[in-house]
Amino acid sequence: MKPIILATDLTIRSDRALRRSLLLARDMGAPLHLIYVIDEDLPPDLAAQKRQIAETAMTRALADAAVAGQETRMDVLEGLPADVIAREAE
């Protein structure tokens, strides 16, 4: 089964999309791939800070899914967000 990909911006509004994606993945028996994209134009120190924040937030967000046995994967990627999301979807 192909994974369900959810690109997140880690806002409170994206929490709802995450919950729905987890339910959909569980119901379909599909893994969930959560991605966050750091814009490639950011200075390296700011990009590193955003990476750490994103990894912590996504780990926390997926903790309940792991406990429930849901197969999940998360990645923090760099590039132009629209291009990276499209590439991951392929």
Side-chain angles (χ1 to χ4, degrees):
M1 171 78 46
K2 289 187 177 186
I4 293 174
I5 299 174
L6 174 64
T8 183
D9 61 3
L10 302 174
T11 60
I12 292 173
R13 290 183 62 114
S14 67
D15 288 346
R16 186 174 182 188
L18 175 60
R19 286 191 303 274
R20 286 182 181 255
S21 296
L22 283 166
L23 290 172
L24 182 61
R26 183 196 65 202
D27 291 347
M28 296 182 68
L32 177 67
H33 184 187
L34 181 63
I35 61 173
Y36 178 82
V37 182
I38 298 171
D39 194 301
E40 66 186 7
D41 291 335
L42 289 178
D45 57 331
L46 183 55
Q49 182 181 19
K50 281 189 159 278
R51 175 177 294 281
Q52 177 145 7
I53 291 168
E55 288 173 350
T56 300
M58 292 189 332
T59 298
R60 196 173 307 135
L62 293 177
D64 291 338
V67 169
Q70 176 68 41
E71 183 181 348
T72 60
R73 180 176 141 207
M74 65 176 212
D75 285 306
V76 178
L77 307 168
E78 292 187 32
L80 296 172
D83 293 344
V84 172
I85 293 166
R87 183 181 69 232
E88 289 297 307
E90 288 178 2

PDB file of all heavy atoms in Angstrom, residues 49-69:
ATOM      1  N   GLN A  49      17.725  25.701  13.282  1.00  0.00           N
ATOM      2  CA  GLN A  49      16.778  25.916  14.381  1.00  0.00           C
ATOM      3  C   GLN A  49      15.392  25.395  14.009  1.00  0.00           C
ATOM      4  O   GLN A  49      14.734  24.713  14.784  1.00  0.00           O
ATOM      5  CB  GLN A  49      16.714  27.401  14.725  1.00  0.00           C
ATOM      6  CG  GLN A  49      15.806  27.726  15.878  1.00  0.00           C
ATOM      7  CD  GLN A  49      15.757  29.221  16.158  1.00  0.00           C
ATOM      8  OE1 GLN A  49      16.106  30.044  15.316  1.00  0.00           O
ATOM      9  NE2 GLN A  49      15.314  29.572  17.345  1.00  0.00           N
ATOM     10  N   LYS A  50      14.946  25.708  12.792  1.00  0.00           N
ATOM     11  CA  LYS A  50      13.647  25.222  12.330  1.00  0.00           C
ATOM     12  C   LYS A  50      13.625  23.692  12.251  1.00  0.00           C
ATOM     13  O   LYS A  50      12.625  23.066  12.563  1.00  0.00           O
ATOM     14  CB  LYS A  50      13.293  25.825  10.963  1.00  0.00           C
ATOM     15  CG  LYS A  50      12.778  27.223  11.053  1.00  0.00           C
ATOM     16  CD  LYS A  50      12.255  27.636   9.690  1.00  0.00           C
ATOM     17  CE  LYS A  50      11.288  28.767   9.799  1.00  0.00           C
ATOM     18  NZ  LYS A  50       9.954  28.404  10.133  1.00  0.00           N
ATOM     19  N   ARG A  51      14.729  23.091  11.836  1.00  0.00           N
ATOM     20  CA  ARG A  51      14.816  21.631  11.753  1.00  0.00           C
ATOM     21  C   ARG A  51      14.608  21.010  13.138  1.00  0.00           C
ATOM     22  O   ARG A  51      13.838  20.076  13.303  1.00  0.00           O
ATOM     23  CB  ARG A  51      16.156  21.186  11.177  1.00  0.00           C
ATOM     24  CG  ARG A  51      16.348  19.678  11.180  1.00  0.00           C
ATOM     25  CD  ARG A  51      17.656  19.281  10.529  1.00  0.00           C
ATOM     26  NE  ARG A  51      17.664  19.585   9.117  1.00  0.00           N
ATOM     27  CZ  ARG A  51      17.076  18.844   8.171  1.00  0.00           C
ATOM     28  NH1 ARG A  51      16.433  17.740   8.506  1.00  0.00           N
ATOM     29  NH2 ARG A  51      17.130  19.185   6.908  1.00  0.00           N
ATOM     30  N   GLN A  52      15.280  21.538  14.119  1.00  0.00           N
ATOM     31  CA  GLN A  52      15.151  20.982  15.466  1.00  0.00           C
ATOM     32  C   GLN A  52      13.728  21.141  15.994  1.00  0.00           C
ATOM     33  O   GLN A  52      13.161  20.203  16.561  1.00  0.00           O
ATOM     34  CB  GLN A  52      16.127  21.660  16.422  1.00  0.00           C
ATOM     35  CG  GLN A  52      15.977  21.153  17.835  1.00  0.00           C
ATOM     36  CD  GLN A  52      17.278  21.093  18.567  1.00  0.00           C
ATOM     37  OE1 GLN A  52      18.296  21.548  18.077  1.00  0.00           O
ATOM     38  NE2 GLN A  52      17.238  20.522  19.740  1.00  0.00           N
ATOM     39  N   ILE A  53      13.144  22.297  15.796  1.00  0.00           N
ATOM     40  CA  ILE A  53      11.767  22.525  16.236  1.00  0.00           C
ATOM     41  C   ILE A  53      10.817  21.570  15.531  1.00  0.00           C
ATOM     42  O   ILE A  53       9.940  20.970  16.154  1.00  0.00           O
ATOM     43  CB  ILE A  53      11.364  23.996  15.992  1.00  0.00           C
ATOM     44  CG1 ILE A  53      12.134  24.905  16.942  1.00  0.00           C
ATOM     45  CG2 ILE A  53       9.863  24.188  16.141  1.00  0.00           C
ATOM     46  CD1 ILE A  53      12.048  26.383  16.607  1.00  0.00           C
ATOM     47  N   ALA A  54      10.991  21.408  14.219  1.00  0.00           N
ATOM     48  CA  ALA A  54      10.106  20.534  13.439  1.00  0.00           C
ATOM     49  C   ALA A  54      10.250  19.079  13.874  1.00  0.00           C
ATOM     50  O   ALA A  54       9.239  18.372  14.031  1.00  0.00           O
ATOM     51  CB  ALA A  54      10.415  20.677  11.950  1.00  0.00           C
ATOM     52  N   GLU A  55      11.466  18.614  14.067  1.00  0.00           N
ATOM     53  CA  GLU A  55      11.671  17.222  14.475  1.00  0.00           C
ATOM     54  C   GLU A  55      11.035  16.940  15.833  1.00  0.00           C
ATOM     55  O   GLU A  55      10.392  15.909  16.026  1.00  0.00           O
ATOM     56  CB  GLU A  55      13.156  16.879  14.488  1.00  0.00           C
ATOM     57  CG  GLU A  55      13.744  16.770  13.100  1.00  0.00           C
ATOM     58  CD  GLU A  55      15.255  16.601  13.078  1.00  0.00           C
ATOM     59  OE1 GLU A  55      15.899  16.748  14.147  1.00  0.00           O
ATOM     60  OE2 GLU A  55      15.783  16.316  11.992  1.00  0.00           O
ATOM     61  N   THR A  56      11.185  17.868  16.753  1.00  0.00           N
ATOM     62  CA  THR A  56      10.590  17.708  18.080  1.00  0.00           C
ATOM     63  C   THR A  56       9.067  17.698  17.992  1.00  0.00           C
ATOM     64  O   THR A  56       8.403  16.832  18.570  1.00  0.00           O
ATOM     65  CB  THR A  56      11.059  18.841  19.022  1.00  0.00           C
ATOM     66  OG1 THR A  56      12.473  18.777  19.134  1.00  0.00           O
ATOM     67  CG2 THR A  56      10.419  18.716  20.392  1.00  0.00           C
ATOM     68  N   ALA A  57       8.504  18.638  17.260  1.00  0.00           N
ATOM     69  CA  ALA A  57       7.050  18.741  17.137  1.00  0.00           C
ATOM     70  C   ALA A  57       6.457  17.520  16.435  1.00  0.00           C
ATOM     71  O   ALA A  57       5.421  16.994  16.849  1.00  0.00           O
ATOM     72  CB  ALA A  57       6.675  20.014  16.385  1.00  0.00           C
ATOM     73  N   MET A  58       7.114  17.050  15.380  1.00  0.00           N
ATOM     74  CA  MET A  58       6.580  15.902  14.649  1.00  0.00           C
ATOM     75  C   MET A  58       6.707  14.624  15.462  1.00  0.00           C
ATOM     76  O   MET A  58       5.810  13.774  15.437  1.00  0.00           O
ATOM     77  CB  MET A  58       7.262  15.778  13.284  1.00  0.00           C
ATOM     78  CG  MET A  58       6.872  16.923  12.370  1.00  0.00           C
ATOM     79  SD  MET A  58       7.372  16.819  10.620  1.00  0.00           S
ATOM     80  CE  MET A  58       8.797  15.859  10.569  1.00  0.00           C
ATOM     81  N   THR A  59       7.791  14.471  16.186  1.00  0.00           N
ATOM     82  CA  THR A  59       7.950  13.298  17.049  1.00  0.00           C
ATOM     83  C   THR A  59       6.836  13.266  18.079  1.00  0.00           C
ATOM     84  O   THR A  59       6.216  12.227  18.316  1.00  0.00           O
ATOM     85  CB  THR A  59       9.325  13.311  17.742  1.00  0.00           C
ATOM     86  OG1 THR A  59      10.329  13.251  16.736  1.00  0.00           O
ATOM     87  CG2 THR A  59       9.477  12.141  18.693  1.00  0.00           C
ATOM     88  N   ARG A  60       6.576  14.397  18.674  1.00  0.00           N
ATOM     89  CA  ARG A  60       5.500  14.505  19.667  1.00  0.00           C
ATOM     90  C   ARG A  60       4.147  14.214  19.016  1.00  0.00           C
ATOM     91  O   ARG A  60       3.320  13.492  19.579  1.00  0.00           O
ATOM     92  CB  ARG A  60       5.514  15.901  20.280  1.00  0.00           C
ATOM     93  CG  ARG A  60       4.727  16.016  21.552  1.00  0.00           C
ATOM     94  CD  ARG A  60       4.900  17.377  22.217  1.00  0.00           C
ATOM     95  NE  ARG A  60       6.292  17.715  22.417  1.00  0.00           N
ATOM     96  CZ  ARG A  60       6.838  18.907  22.143  1.00  0.00           C
ATOM     97  NH1 ARG A  60       6.105  19.877  21.667  1.00  0.00           N
ATOM     98  NH2 ARG A  60       8.119  19.125  22.352  1.00  0.00           N
ATOM     99  N   ALA A  61       3.924  14.745  17.834  1.00  0.00           N
ATOM    100  CA  ALA A  61       2.638  14.567  17.156  1.00  0.00           C
ATOM    101  C   ALA A  61       2.390  13.114  16.773  1.00  0.00           C
ATOM    102  O   ALA A  61       1.251  12.656  16.767  1.00  0.00           O
ATOM    103  CB  ALA A  61       2.583  15.448  15.909  1.00  0.00           C
ATOM    104  N   LEU A  62       3.446  12.383  16.462  1.00  0.00           N
ATOM    105  CA  LEU A  62       3.288  10.996  16.031  1.00  0.00           C
ATOM    106  C   LEU A  62       3.420   9.989  17.170  1.00  0.00           C
ATOM    107  O   LEU A  62       3.247   8.794  16.956  1.00  0.00           O
ATOM    108  CB  LEU A  62       4.312  10.675  14.940  1.00  0.00           C
ATOM    109  CG  LEU A  62       4.107  11.408  13.620  1.00  0.00           C
ATOM    110  CD1 LEU A  62       5.213  11.060  12.639  1.00  0.00           C
ATOM    111  CD2 LEU A  62       2.747  11.105  13.019  1.00  0.00           C
ATOM    112  N   ALA A  63       3.673  10.449  18.368  1.00  0.00           N
ATOM    113  CA  ALA A  63       3.866   9.545  19.500  1.00  0.00           C
ATOM    114  C   ALA A  63       2.645   8.667  19.733  1.00  0.00           C
ATOM    115  O   ALA A  63       2.765   7.461  19.942  1.00  0.00           O
ATOM    116  CB  ALA A  63       4.210  10.331  20.757  1.00  0.00           C
ATOM    117  N   ASP A  64       1.455   9.249  19.697  1.00  0.00           N
ATOM    118  CA  ASP A  64       0.245   8.460  19.917  1.00  0.00           C
ATOM    119  C   ASP A  64       0.038   7.433  18.815  1.00  0.00           C
ATOM    120  O   ASP A  64      -0.430   6.329  19.062  1.00  0.00           O
ATOM    121  CB  ASP A  64      -0.985   9.362  20.004  1.00  0.00           C
ATOM    122  CG  ASP A  64      -0.992  10.212  21.260  1.00  0.00           C
ATOM    123  OD1 ASP A  64      -0.305   9.829  22.231  1.00  0.00           O
ATOM    124  OD2 ASP A  64      -1.670  11.242  21.268  1.00  0.00           O
ATOM    125  N   ALA A  65       0.396   7.774  17.606  1.00  0.00           N
ATOM    126  CA  ALA A  65       0.245   6.832  16.494  1.00  0.00           C
ATOM    127  C   ALA A  65       1.159   5.635  16.689  1.00  0.00           C
ATOM    128  O   ALA A  65       0.771   4.499  16.432  1.00  0.00           O
ATOM    129  CB  ALA A  65       0.550   7.525  15.171  1.00  0.00           C
ATOM    130  N   ALA A  66       2.367   5.878  17.160  1.00  0.00           N
ATOM    131  CA  ALA A  66       3.317   4.789  17.385  1.00  0.00           C
ATOM    132  C   ALA A  66       2.802   3.850  18.475  1.00  0.00           C
ATOM    133  O   ALA A  66       2.921   2.633  18.364  1.00  0.00           O
ATOM    134  CB  ALA A  66       4.681   5.348  17.751  1.00  0.00           C
ATOM    135  N   VAL A  67       2.231   4.420  19.513  1.00  0.00           N
ATOM    136  CA  VAL A  67       1.678   3.609  20.593  1.00  0.00           C
ATOM    137  C   VAL A  67       0.551   2.724  20.072  1.00  0.00           C
ATOM    138  O   VAL A  67       0.403   1.579  20.468  1.00  0.00           O
ATOM    139  CB  VAL A  67       1.177   4.510  21.750  1.00  0.00           C
ATOM    140  CG1 VAL A  67       0.363   3.724  22.754  1.00  0.00           C
ATOM    141  CG2 VAL A  67       2.356   5.182  22.430  1.00  0.00           C
ATOM    142  N   ALA A  68      -0.227   3.267  19.143  1.00  0.00           N
ATOM    143  CA  ALA A  68      -1.347   2.517  18.582  1.00  0.00           C
ATOM    144  C   ALA A  68      -0.910   1.526  17.505  1.00  0.00           C
ATOM    145  O   ALA A  68      -1.729   0.813  16.944  1.00  0.00           O
ATOM    146  CB  ALA A  68      -2.383   3.484  18.003  1.00  0.00           C
ATOM    147  N   GLY A  69       0.382   1.481  17.197  1.00  0.00           N
ATOM    148  CA  GLY A  69       0.891   0.535  16.205  1.00  0.00           C
ATOM    149  C   GLY A  69       0.779   1.026  14.776  1.00  0.00           C
ATOM    150  O   GLY A  69       1.008   0.269  13.837  1.00  0.00           O
TER     151      GLY A  69
END
